[in-house]
Amino acid sequence: MIRKFQFGKPFETEAVTADIAVSEGMPSCGEICLEEGFCYRFTMDENDIVYGLGEANRGINKRGYCYISAAADDPEHTEDKRSLYAAHNFIVISGRKNFGLFVDYPTRLTFDIGYTRSDLLEITCEAADLYLYVIEGESAYDIVRQFRGIIGRSYIPPKFAFGYGQSRWGYRTKEDFREVAAGYRKNQIPLDMIYMDIDYMEGYKDFTLNEENFQDFPEFVKEMKEQNIRLVPIIDAGVKIEEGYSICEEGEQGGYFCKKEDGSDFVAAVWPGYTHFPDVLNPEARRWFGDKYRFLTEQGIEGFWNDMNEPSIFYTPEGIDGVRELIRSYMEDKDGGASIFEIREAMMRLANSQKDYESFYHQVNGQKIRHDRVHNLFGYNMTRAAGEAFERIDPDRRFLMFSRSSYIGMHRYGGIWTGDNKSWWSHLLLNLKMMPSLNMCGFLYTGADLGGFGADTTRDLLLRWLALGVFTPLMRNHTAIGTRQQECYQFEKTEDFRHVVGVRYRLIPYLYSEYMKAALSDDMYFKPLAFEYPQDPQALQVEDQLMLGNEIMIAPVYTQNAKGRYVYLPEEMLFVKFMPDGSVSGEKLSAGHHYVEIALNEVPLFVRKGKCIPVAKAAQSVEELDVRNLEILGYDGAEYELYEDDGIHKDYANPRNKRMIKK
């Protein structure tokens, strides 16, 4: 049962697509105080578990810390960080009572989940202008399914997007991309996508190409496609201010940019220098900006990734002026003027300043809305701009799209990657723990930068991370400029990388089927063990193993130098390892605790009792997969419903997309 409560005058985020009438009175679970803003309180039982919050720090069970929904460009994902790039305000309390809460509120919102007081859940925000959805159900899983049913179908990418992708900030020329393609093809490591970071543009200007490096771009796109490789360019939120740059001039003339209070266009510096932000909350501006993706789709591009869309601000002219004043004060009066420490603090506060977010506005339905009051919606609506445009550009075709910043609702238009992680073992584990929480909020096409974006990866870390990435819908190796070369062929014994990435392709018939089933039935692709085994007290505590689809469990190795790991099996399962010689080992393990050995060049999974999965032969690209001749792994007599469409169009309901196969 779902009840909707209204407080004040909420901003219509369009996160929820179902038409739910507003209920009278107050929720029966918890207490609400409206004396200073909004405050929801619930006293948790000792054994209550709290799920949700999508892209948030720490564990699957969110209890014991404080989280703040305030989309933030912060690449230092340490345990003390309370805000990341997204705002996913959905939680499930599971235990003595089972209920879910979605707080539809587009600005800063705090979830204190047993942080201030260990038994107290407290949700607070400054203004009592929001919708609160209360969902009651039989279990946490039931509540998630109900929530998924009211927020709309999850985004479905083209099938090539389930292949492996290579990215690096620093690929600048055609030869850079050709070198990557050749490195993978020469070493027979499968590859479907190469990502284009900001250096493909002319001066970091959206919807431009560096003419010196990318002449005859359509021919280059065609050249890559002939190798079954798609180029996937980045689009940033900031539009460079430059005379003669058509996007800037059109936006200024059409009034499509965010404004300052005096009506002038807001100015902030990002990669191109000073920029304007498209007012993507304004439907007219959103349509204008979305249609600009045609510049690249008309040249053969079939996928994009949106970045810097919190939106990220490096500094503003006003912020720089403030620092100049402090420096002048220090230089002119070293005894009584500003101190060097004040200058340092002011410099550190330049980026993503709350003061700057309070200084520009959106036009929504004829009203001027200050940005900080709808801050968490920017990334959502930038990606929505693209998703709506793709429906105009080619309504029957699927385009690849994922974003850095998001809000619930954006899951209908694209996926997300989890941002600028580090080449740390702890971030490999964080990647694993984020996946089911994101699924709860509708985001199915998800993944992290495999190997880590910042810092230098190591061979063993990359192999272990790839062995997790085998199972995430978005499987992309991405790293920052200035870090060591991270392409798979840069390391010794490339055959190990060939094998691990090859396992991804062997599993695509299963992974794609489970993704499509989850998307089309508002279900989860990744689940905590507790969702499948709610009566098992040990399963409730497991956070480093996940259920995937309806047939398998995954338990990656995430510890440096480990030769294996301990696993907990709630029931008998078939322990499967994909071996480097191409063979597959299988051993039935009884319910309980086991230590399993897993070498660096092996990919493990566990098939549930009575289940089976389809496996293909390895291929160099998704296009080359043979899905008609499949091997079946699992228990004798088990059946599996395979979903298989053309991977391009949207004919999802065609009964020919499904067929039963048997072990």
Side-chain angles (χ1 to χ4, degrees), residues 363-657:
Q363 285 289 329
V364 183
N365 298 325
Q367 288 188 305
K368 190 163 72 171
I369 308 293
R370 206 172 75 187
H371 172 80
D372 64 302
R373 294 172 181 162
V374 290
H375 172 71
N376 293 334
L377 301 180
F378 193 94
Y380 159 21
N381 281 280
M382 179 184 174
T383 297
R384 179 180 178 179
E388 291 173 341
F390 297 152
E391 290 293 320
R392 298 189 293 272
I393 292 168
D394 192 340
D396 296 323
R397 175 178 288 271
R398 301 181 231 169
F399 288 83
L400 171 60
M401 168 55 70
F402 58 93
S403 170
R404 190 169 76 177
S405 186
S406 61
Y407 186 85
I408 291 171
M410 200 208 81
H411 70 284
R412 301 189 294 269
Y413 303 98
I416 65 171
W417 94 103
T418 57
D420 296 346
N421 60 6
K422 289 287 203 305
S423 296
W424 296 344
W425 290 92
S426 61
H427 280 179
L428 166 52
L429 180 57
L430 181 60
N431 179 183
L432 179 72
K433 292 181 177 183
M434 275 189 185
M435 294 297 102
S437 300
L438 286 164
N439 280 198
M440 292 175 202
C441 297
F443 293 91
L444 297 186
Y445 191 74
T446 56
D449 288 342
L450 303 176
F453 177 74
D456 292 325
T457 198
T458 59
R459 182 178 185 274
D460 59 340
L461 176 57
L462 180 55
L463 279 167
R464 292 299 195 195
W465 216 325
L466 288 168
L468 167 58
V470 159
F471 301 102
T472 59
L474 169 60
M475 185 185 186
R476 180 177 76 150
N477 177 339
H478 181 44
T479 190
I481 195 168
T483 62
R484 74 184 296 184
Q485 297 293 318
Q486 197 165 292
E487 298 84 5
C488 291
Y489 55 80
Q490 302 286 359
F491 299 88
E492 75 270 18
K493 295 184 180 179
T494 55
E495 63 270 20
D496 290 344
F497 292 90
R498 180 186 311 131
H499 167 64
V500 172
V501 178
V503 172
R504 164 58 165 232
Y505 286 75
R506 298 190 68 184
L507 288 171
I508 281 177
Y510 174 70
L511 302 177
Y512 183 72
S513 288
E514 292 307 299
Y515 185 96
M516 295 302 293
K517 292 174 191 176
L520 296 174
S521 62
D522 298 327
D523 205 338
M524 298 175 70
Y525 174 90
F526 284 121
K527 298 184 283 286
L529 268 62
F531 279 31
E532 291 289 354
Y533 306 98
Q535 304 306 317
D536 184 333
Q538 295 188 69
L540 297 178
Q541 303 303 314
V542 175
E543 294 219 345
D544 59 355
Q545 302 167 208
L546 299 178
M547 308 307 296
L548 191 164
N550 296 302
E551 287 74 24
I552 72 172
M553 182 184 78
I554 65 170
V557 176
Y558 53 86
T559 306
Q560 184 175 358
N561 297 320
K563 305 298 184 184
R565 57 161 292 170
Y566 285 94
V567 296
Y568 173 68
L569 306 186
E571 63 177 328
E572 179 192 294
M573 293 186 185
L574 182 67
F575 175 42
V576 171
K577 288 197 293 186
F578 290 83
M579 309 301 285
D581 63 1
S583 64
V584 181
S585 70
E587 176 187 4
K588 288 182 181 178
L589 298 179
S590 60
H593 296 273
H594 299 268
Y595 179 82
V596 292
E597 293 186 352
I598 304 166
L600 271 174
N601 56 7
E602 296 172 351
V603 179
L605 60 82
F606 297 81
V607 181
R608 298 175 67 181
K609 187 176 182 180
K611 305 285 188 178
C612 66
I613 65 170
V615 177
K617 292 182 179 179
Q620 290 298 292
S621 67
V622 170
E623 184 73 23
E624 298 171 57
L625 277 173
D626 179 2
V627 296
R628 306 309 301 180
N629 299 292
L630 300 172
E631 179 184 359
I632 309 301
L633 298 179
Y635 285 80
D636 290 339
E639 290 186 324
Y640 180 75
E641 184 182 67
L642 181 74
Y643 180 97
E644 183 62 41
D645 57 21
D646 70 1
I648 300 169
H649 300 101
K650 300 175 181 178
D651 186 18
Y652 306 130
N654 191 326
R656 289 178 296 180
N657 293 343

Side-chain angles (χ1 to χ4, degrees), residues 181-252:
Y184 275 91
R185 292 293 183 244
K186 177 183 176 182
N187 287 283
Q188 296 184 297
I189 303 171
L191 183 71
D192 267 273
M193 292 158 285
I194 305 178
Y195 291 83
M196 307 180 77
D197 212 318
I198 55 177
D199 292 307
Y200 80 89
M201 303 178 200
E202 178 67 45
Y204 305 137
K205 292 181 289 187
D206 281 342
F207 311 112
T208 67
L209 292 160
N210 184 306
E211 291 297 332
E212 181 180 348
N213 294 334
F214 292 100
Q215 291 180 350
D216 301 319
F217 187 63
E219 286 301 311
F220 182 53
V221 173
K222 181 180 177 183
E223 174 191 326
M224 289 290 106
K225 282 188 186 178
E226 287 172 351
Q227 302 178 55
N228 289 326
I229 295 172
R230 264 80 170 185
L231 297 173
V232 183
I234 197 170
I235 303 294
D236 279 354
V239 173
K240 184 173 184 176
I241 301 170
E242 181 177 279
E243 186 177 349
Y245 172 35
S246 63
I247 310 294
C248 175
E249 293 183 344
E250 282 181 27
E252 290 175 340

Side-chain angles (χ1 to χ4, degrees), residues 73-354:
D73 175 12
D74 184 347
E76 301 297 327
H77 304 169
T78 49
E79 282 193 31
D80 60 324
K81 295 302 169 64
R82 301 184 179 188
S83 303
L84 295 177
Y85 305 99
H88 302 145
N89 304 335
F90 172 61
I91 61 171
V92 178
I93 295 85
S94 177
R96 177 170 50 88
K97 292 184 177 181
N98 290 303
F99 64 97
L101 301 170
F102 172 47
V103 187
D104 194 4
Y105 181 72
T107 187
R108 187 182 181 91
L109 183 68
T110 299
F111 291 83
D112 184 331
I113 309 177
Y115 172 74
T116 299
R117 200 181 87 191
S118 61
D119 66 342
L120 183 64
L121 164 65
E122 191 170 67
I123 305 172
T124 55
C125 57
E126 185 177 274
D129 296 307
L130 55 88
Y131 292 115
L132 174 66
Y133 294 81
V134 180
I135 308 171
E136 296 178 358
E138 297 177 357
S139 66
Y141 190 16
D142 174 43
I143 290 162
V144 169
R145 293 290 304 273
Q146 290 186 62
F147 179 62
R148 293 286 309 282
I150 68 169
I151 60 174
R153 177 182 289 174
S154 296
Y155 160 77
I156 297 175
K159 193 173 182 181
F160 75 77
F162 289 83
Y164 176 72
Q166 179 62 57
S167 184
R168 181 178 176 86
W169 173 18
Y171 298 155
R172 297 177 183 276
T173 67
K174 288 181 184 178
E175 289 309 310
D176 290 338
F177 291 92
R178 287 175 175 139
E179 181 181 334
V180 173
Y184 275 91
R185 292 293 183 244
K186 177 183 176 182
N187 287 283
Q188 296 184 297
I189 303 171
L191 183 71
D192 267 273
M193 292 158 285
I194 305 178
Y195 291 83
M196 307 180 77
D197 212 318
I198 55 177
D199 292 307
Y200 80 89
M201 303 178 200
E202 178 67 45
Y204 305 137
K205 292 181 289 187
D206 281 342
F207 311 112
T208 67
L209 292 160
N210 184 306
E211 291 297 332
E212 181 180 348
N213 294 334
F214 292 100
Q215 291 180 350
D216 301 319
F217 187 63
E219 286 301 311
F220 182 53
V221 173
K222 181 180 177 183
E223 174 191 326
M224 289 290 106
K225 282 188 186 178
E226 287 172 351
Q227 302 178 55
N228 289 326
I229 295 172
R230 264 80 170 185
L231 297 173
V232 183
I234 197 170
I235 303 294
D236 279 354
V239 173
K240 184 173 184 176
I241 301 170
E242 181 177 279
E243 186 177 349
Y245 172 35
S246 63
I247 310 294
C248 175
E249 293 183 344
E250 282 181 27
E252 290 175 340
Q253 292 165 9
Y256 297 139
F257 294 130
C258 295
K259 307 290 185 184
K260 294 164 65 174
E261 191 169 16
D262 64 7
S264 62
D265 290 331
F266 177 70
V267 177
V270 202
W271 291 115
Y274 282 128
T275 68
H276 296 315
F277 291 142
D279 185 3
V280 288
L281 273 69
N282 178 340
E284 292 181 9
R286 188 165 64 241
R287 184 183 182 94
W288 167 77
F289 188 76
D291 282 342
K292 296 306 172 186
Y293 286 78
R294 289 180 187 269
F295 170 75
L296 291 161
T297 61
E298 289 175 351
Q299 300 185 68
I301 292 298
E302 299 173 53
F304 302 87
W305 48 307
N306 285 345
D307 196 12
M308 308 298 287
N309 54 356
E310 291 71 35
S312 180
I313 295 175
F314 292 172
Y315 55 86
T316 59
E318 293 81 4
I320 290 293
D321 287 344
V323 172
R324 285 199 186 103
E325 285 301 314
L326 288 174
I327 294 173
R328 185 176 296 113
S329 171
Y330 171 76
M331 297 300 294
E332 293 177 356
D333 185 358
K334 292 191 177 182
D335 292 328
S339 72
I340 197 69
F341 301 105
E342 289 178 281
I343 295 170
R344 184 182 68 177
E345 288 297 315
M347 292 289 289
M348 292 175 66
R349 289 195 301 268
L350 278 177
N352 305 314
S353 162
Q354 183 64 25

